[in-house]
Amino acid sequence: MEIKSIGIVGAGQMGNGIAHVCALAGYDVLMTDITQEALDSALALIRSNLERQASRGKIEEDEVSAALDRIRCTLKLSDLGQTDLVIEAATERETVKQAIFEDLLPHLKPETILTSNTSSISITRLASRTDRPEKFMGFHFMNPVPVMQLVELIRGIATDEATFKACLQVVERLNKSAATAEDFPAFIVNRILMPMINEAIYTLYEGVGNVKSIDTSMKLGANHPMGPLELADFIGLDTCLAIMNVLHDGLADTKYRPCPLLTKYVEAGWLGRKTRRGFYDYRGEGDPVPTR
């Protein structure tokens, strides 16, 4: 089937980025969240990001208003039932995602494709709780969505070829590149990236180096654009911990054991940039200050 309209569940960091790129590519977008404040904030951020792209010559001025005109918002999850493709981009908790799909199912068109932007949770397990496992996929965008070129497409055990091809066409229309991943814990990117970040936290925990020396070493010694602790703050330490727990539980290997220091930061509510404290303190006016 041809995808013309896309429903997005969640207007947060990932959801508003997905809405941005889909609208810019010409799709009609319907975005939902649980509060009007969240939707208003998302629209303001999308406008700001589109205008920044226009000011840098990445897109034309008239594309800004055209993209914004394609985005509608609703507080009713059921309204998304008439879209051709639903992309769930809610918080990285399986119970939350399952509840969303359960509430959405009675309102869906028979042909609607369901997808999740999950970064680590089993697609097969999520799909099995719906009435259309053959029309269910993982559709994992990277953050920030308007900038990052990769989308992981993850097939569940029941995903059919027509669903995969329809999702692949969407990725191509977004001018992004698709990597096909099998449905194993954390897929490709986070299967490799998160253990590296976790090891950097262990390096800090064991006193091998401080925050600044670890990040500087990886930026200058391995040519990484961001140090692993800086990147962890950008992703969100709660998200990092959730993915490490999925790896540890799903693969039953001690090499995926989350570092106790990561757990401690999450328990403290120091989740990184979004709470203004993580491995760096972002509350000052100057450069972020390492917290260890």
Side-chain angles (χ1 to χ4, degrees), residues 19-20 23 29-31 43 46 50 66-73:
H20 172 141
V29 174
L30 182 59
M31 181 168 56
L43 282 175
I46 292 169
L50 285 166
L68 289 168
D69 287 345
R70 294 189 192 103
I71 300 173
R72 294 183 298 119
C73 295

Side-chain angles (χ1 to χ4, degrees), residues 65-264:
S65 56
L68 289 168
D69 287 345
R70 294 189 192 103
I71 300 173
R72 294 183 298 119
C73 295
T74 179
L75 291 171
K76 294 173 63 179
L77 181 64
S78 58
D79 289 345
L80 271 60
Q82 295 308 302
T83 58
D84 301 323
L85 167 68
V86 173
I87 303 174
E88 172 273 315
T91 188
E92 191 69 358
R93 289 207 299 271
E94 187 167 350
T95 53
V96 172
K97 295 179 185 297
Q98 287 175 344
I100 287 168
F101 290 126
E102 186 176 325
D103 289 347
L104 191 55
L105 286 177
H107 308 285
L108 294 176
K109 296 187 296 183
E111 65 272 21
T112 296
I113 293 172
L114 283 179
T115 67
S116 175
N117 184 57
T118 179
S119 52
S120 62
I121 297 168
S122 168
I123 298 303
T124 298
R125 197 162 60 237
L126 288 173
S128 72
R129 301 289 292 270
T130 75
D131 63 353
R132 60 196 67 205
E134 72 286 349
K135 291 185 176 297
F136 196 107
M137 276 201 74
F139 210 129
H140 181 214
F141 289 84
M142 306 296 123
N143 184 36
V145 179
V147 175
M148 301 296 280
Q149 289 301 302
L150 182 72
V151 178
E152 282 183 314
L153 290 180
I154 306 104
R155 299 175 190 247
I157 196 169
T159 306
D160 64 25
E161 188 65 18
T163 297
F164 172 76
K165 286 182 176 178
C167 290
L168 180 60
Q169 286 174 356
V170 172
V171 175
E172 291 170 346
R173 185 164 158 183
L174 298 178
N175 289 319
K176 295 189 181 294
S177 297
T180 305
E182 294 301 315
D183 184 25
F184 291 100
F187 319 130
I188 296 173
V189 172
N190 284 318
R191 171 75 176 265
I192 298 167
L193 175 64
M194 283 302 158
M196 186 200 75
I197 287 175
N198 195 51
E199 194 62 32
I201 300 169
Y202 266 114
T203 305
L204 177 65
Y205 176 61
E206 294 169 3
V208 180
N210 60 28
V211 168
K212 186 174 181 181
S213 64
I214 291 167
D215 278 351
T216 299
S217 294
M218 295 307 292
K219 284 192 283 188
L220 301 184
N223 206 27
H224 290 191
M226 264 184 172
L229 302 175
E230 183 185 6
L231 180 56
D233 275 359
F234 181 76
I235 294 167
L237 302 191
D238 53 338
T239 300
C240 293
L241 180 58
I243 295 169
M244 287 308 302
N245 281 327
V246 166
L247 281 166
H248 191 230
D249 295 344
L251 298 171
D253 192 323
T254 55
K255 73 179 180 179
Y256 298 116
R257 183 171 68 97
C259 179
L261 184 61
L262 173 59
T263 302
K264 193 62 64 180

Side-chain angles (χ1 to χ4, degrees), residues 1-17:
M1 65 177 286
E2 183 185 359
I3 306 295
K4 295 181 179 178
S5 59
I6 297 177
I8 297 169
V9 183
Q13 191 173 38
M14 296 304 293
N16 73 64

